[in-house]
Amino acid sequence: MAQEIERKFLVLNDSYKTESFSHSYIQQGYINSERGRNVRIRIRDEKGYITIKGPSHDGGLSRYEFEQEIPLEDAKELMKLCEPGIIEKTRWLVRSGNHTFEVDEFFGENAGLVVAEVELTAIDDSVINPAFIGKEVTGDRRYYNSQLRKHPFSEWKC
């Protein structure tokens, strides 16, 4: 069984852009986004993916995840079946120590929100945070992409 273990952080500034070794444009929608399980369709540049995720454990640190690349045309058709609210973002990849941080810069109704995730090999895995990393928001459901689709950042009262 594939287990995803990750931590999520707010981003303090845009220095991740100059530190990045790669970036890509992502559109994603949800066929199902019920709490405890979701089915996501993603188009990342010119590739399509289907992802199934289970409920979160360990305070939001881990959960079951299955991801499979699918033909781009299938992904485009499946996007038409998704629940309302497509997520659009640019993902920037930044190396730090033995890890790669995925920094998501959101657009549309989530413009202004930038979060970073780092995948771990174990819950107690040690991570060196880059200087642009701010407050940890692991387990805060507001920052889950499936929730940003329903309750976009632009509607938050900070």
Side-chain angles (χ1 to χ4, degrees):
M1 178 161 38
Q3 192 74 9
E4 173 187 58
I5 304 170
E6 69 181 14
R7 293 174 65 191
K8 189 176 286 204
F9 304 88
L10 296 179
V11 172
L12 300 173
N13 58 55
D14 68 356
S15 64
Y16 61 89
K17 291 180 180 181
T18 56
E19 296 179 41
S20 172
F21 65 88
S22 177
H23 68 279
S24 57
Y25 177 72
I26 295 173
Q27 289 180 296
Q28 65 188 43
Y30 291 83
I31 290 176
N32 178 29
S33 62
E34 291 182 29
R35 188 174 184 146
R37 65 180 180 271
N38 64 56
V39 179
R40 176 184 75 200
I41 303 301
R42 175 179 280 173
I43 297 173
R44 185 174 184 162
D45 292 332
E46 296 301 314
K47 292 187 176 186
Y49 301 89
I50 186 168
T51 305
I52 301 168
K53 293 187 177 194
S56 294
H57 305 286
D58 307 308
L61 273 173
S62 66
R63 65 181 164 179
Y64 171 80
E65 177 183 60
F66 168 85
E67 184 169 82
Q68 181 73 46
E69 186 173 341
I70 59 175
L72 179 59
E73 289 308 313
D74 289 344
K76 288 178 180 179
E77 288 301 313
L78 288 169
M79 288 289 275
K80 296 175 186 175
L81 300 177
C82 288
E83 298 169 342
I86 300 299
I87 297 289
E88 294 181 81
K89 59 189 178 181
T90 295
R91 172 163 289 169
W92 303 81
L93 302 179
V94 178
R95 286 188 188 95
S96 181
N98 295 327
H99 296 90
T100 298
F101 281 77
E102 297 176 336
V103 181
D104 288 343
E105 175 186 13
F106 290 88
F107 303 109
E109 290 187 296
N110 290 299
L113 178 62
V114 183
V115 297
E117 297 177 352
V118 60
E119 290 205 15
L120 310 173
T121 55
I123 291 174
D124 59 354
D125 200 359
S126 178
V127 178
I128 300 168
N129 288 345
F132 59 80
I133 293 296
K135 176 184 173 188
E136 184 165 3
V137 293
T138 301
D140 186 336
R141 293 184 46 77
R142 294 177 302 163
Y143 295 97
Y144 292 5
N145 283 262
S146 60
Q147 292 302 306
L148 289 170
R149 174 191 77 66
K150 296 176 189 175
H151 307 288
F153 185 66
S154 62
E155 296 176 0
W156 295 12
K157 294 185 182 3
C158 299

